[in-house]
């Protein structure tokens, strides 16, 4: 049990409807926290047993963390959760975890709303180019072994984006943001149904990754990619790369970019700015 005062929602019938074998069997729900990611990380550092699949959910975060040191604005109405995993995968497959999480978010959005959610490489989910969800991965490795990973998932669900000040736009990175409520013209979504389906999807894909490798998962990511085939600019820590996003590596999901000189670059991570110019 985390040292902080989360309500264990196993007692609130969550478990009886959750069809997973490990993800979410221990789920802790908080009203307001600084960051579910911080709670999950400190829990994983303090305790080693029974961690696999533990989920921390909060209604509201005051210091939500985004990628690349950015902050992540997390008002009431969104889904803010972190999942602790000790997956049996190779270190080289870690990059598939955020991809399969984003894929799972897309699957659930499509299933619950019929909205055309797409995956913007590496970890964002967009609807008509507007960001609705972001994924953050923190990991702890020892020598050649993954100790644990924490997957942080934020989804703008029942949030009126127009009412949020411009900070949220900055926190999303370089492009527009949206929420499911905005895309659905004010209609609200049942958040715990969303969480249940999300955890079920993620568990299915984690099993698939552990048992069959990444190939089928990457195939699905490619099908719903908002990045492939477009002219992109990739901003990495000390480099800016421009070219066409031509493919994703089938083993690790890295983005393959063809530069104007015909060279293929393998991109591991970074912020991708799509230009919306599609190259055939
Ligand atoms: C991004 O920059 O796109 C990643 C955003 C990840 C936000 C989620 S919300 C739940 C978890 N807790 C955090 O503090 N961050 C992640």
């Amino acid at each position: 049990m985390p040292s902080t005062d989360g309500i264990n929602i196993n007692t609130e019938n969550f478990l009886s409807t959750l069809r997973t074998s490990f993800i979410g069997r221990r789920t802790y729900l908080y009203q307001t926290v600084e960051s579910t990611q911080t709670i999950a990380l400190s829990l994983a550092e303090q305790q080693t047993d029974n961690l696999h699949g533990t989920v921390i959910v909060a209604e509201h975060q005051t210091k939500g963390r985004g990628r690349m040191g950015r902050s992540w604005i997390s008002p009431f109405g969104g889904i803010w959760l972190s999942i602790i995993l000790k997956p049996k995968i190779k270190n080289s497959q870690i990059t598939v975890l955020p991809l399969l999480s984003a894929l799972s978010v897309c699957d659930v959005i499509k299933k619950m709303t019929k909205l055309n959610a797409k995956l913007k490489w590496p970890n964002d989910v967009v609807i008509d180019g507007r960001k609705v969800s972001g994924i953050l991965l923190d990991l702890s490795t020892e020598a050649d072994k993954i100790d644990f990973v924490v997957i942080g998932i934020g989804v703008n669900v029942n949030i009126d984006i127009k009412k949020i000040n411009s900070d949220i736009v900055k926190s999303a990175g370089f492009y527009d943001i949206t929420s499911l409520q905005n895309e659905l013209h004010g209609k609200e979504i049942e958040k715990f149904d969303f969480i249940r389906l999300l955890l079920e999807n993620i568990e299915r894909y984690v099993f698939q990754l552990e048992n069959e490798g990444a190939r089928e998962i990457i195939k699905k990511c490619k099908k719903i990619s908002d990045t492939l085939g477009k002219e992109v600019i990739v901003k990495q820590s000390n480099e800016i790369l421009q070219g066409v996003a031509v493919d994703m590596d089938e083993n690790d999901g890295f983005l393959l970019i063809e530069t104007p000189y015909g060279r293929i670059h393998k991109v591991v991570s970074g912020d991708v700015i799509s230009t919306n110019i599609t190259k055939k």
Side-chain angles (χ1 to χ4, degrees):
M1 167 102 188
S3 51
T4 30
D5 55 353
I7 305 162
N8 184 340
I9 64 169
N10 301 354
T11 52
E12 292 178 15
N13 268 345
F14 186 69
L15 268 189
S16 59
T17 44
L18 180 70
R19 286 168 302 175
T20 61
S21 64
F22 66 95
I23 295 191
R25 305 319 298 181
R26 291 171 88 214
T27 296
Y28 297 99
L29 173 66
Y30 295 82
Q31 175 91 347
T32 297
V33 294
E34 288 195 348
S35 158
T36 58
Q37 201 74 359
T38 312
I39 293 180
L41 281 169
S42 68
L43 180 65
E45 272 150 20
Q46 286 161 30
Q47 187 183 317
T48 45
D49 296 333
N50 297 323
L51 272 180
H52 191 42
T54 300
V55 177
I56 312 287
V57 187
E59 300 275 351
H60 168 227
Q61 298 185 119
T62 55
K63 284 192 186 161
R65 289 177 43 218
R67 289 175 61 236
M68 313 225 162
R70 289 192 283 259
S71 63
W72 180 263
I73 308 294
S74 322
F76 284 99
I79 289 177
W80 324 120
L81 63 83
S82 298
I83 307 171
I84 306 171
L85 292 179
K86 285 170 157 278
K88 296 182 205 75
I89 57 173
K90 295 186 213 122
N91 280 10
S92 62
Q93 292 174 315
I94 287 172
T95 42
V96 184
L97 292 172
L99 283 171
L100 69 78
S101 305
L103 175 63
S104 301
V105 172
C106 286
D107 288 350
V108 180
I109 292 177
K110 279 188 195 156
K111 185 162 180 168
M112 287 186 74
T113 69
K114 309 271 180 293
L115 290 167
N116 191 14
K118 291 188 161 186
L119 196 156
K120 181 170 181 294
W121 192 94
N123 309 341
D124 292 345
V125 175
V126 296
I127 297 171
D128 281 338
R130 296 179 289 277
K131 178 163 173 170
V132 71
S133 169
I135 318 282
L136 176 70
L137 186 82
D138 284 309
L139 71 149
S140 161
T141 52
E142 256 174 47
D144 214 16
K145 206 176 132 273
I146 300 166
D147 196 14
F148 63 81
V149 302
V150 177
I151 303 174
I153 302 175
V155 191
N156 299 332
V157 183
N158 302 323
I159 297 173
D160 183 353
I161 291 296
K162 291 190 290 300
K163 284 193 189 147
I164 308 286
N165 68 35
S166 62
D167 278 0
I168 196 164
V169 178
K170 278 186 237 147
S171 79
F174 303 96
Y175 55 100
D176 262 1
I177 58 158
T178 190
S179 71
L180 294 182
Q181 186 183 319
N182 265 56
E183 296 300 321
L184 295 170
H185 311 290
K187 186 171 173 271
E188 294 203 353
I189 293 287
E190 180 42 65
K191 277 198 323 183
F192 279 92
D193 287 346
F194 193 109
I195 293 173
R196 231 178 254 122
L197 289 172
L198 180 63
L199 301 183
E200 288 168 7
N201 271 352
I202 292 176
E203 180 170 296
R204 221 187 35 247
Y205 288 130
V206 169
F207 271 136
Q208 188 170 22
L209 179 63
E210 288 179 333
N211 296 313
E212 300 164 24
R215 192 171 302 188
E216 289 306 312
I217 296 168
I218 301 297
K219 250 192 210 165
K220 286 200 168 128
C221 291
K222 283 165 68 168
K223 263 199 194 144
I224 58 158
S225 169
D226 190 55
T227 311
L228 290 184
K230 285 186 178 167
E231 276 266 2
V232 292
I233 299 162
V234 183
K235 207 171 150 255
Q236 294 179 299
S237 43
N238 52 4
E239 198 187 12
I240 290 191
L241 201 64
Q242 185 160 6
V244 180
V246 285
D247 206 352
M248 277 164 72
D249 186 282
E250 63 178 19
N251 296 309
D252 47 33
F254 291 171
L255 191 65
L256 305 181
I257 295 185
E258 187 175 348
T259 62
Y261 309 104
R263 270 194 63 199
I264 303 287
H265 288 259
K266 206 170 166 175
V267 180
V268 181
S269 70
D271 269 331
V272 174
I273 305 166
S274 306
T275 60
N276 274 335
I277 303 169
T278 306
K279 294 277 168 160
K280 294 284 168 208

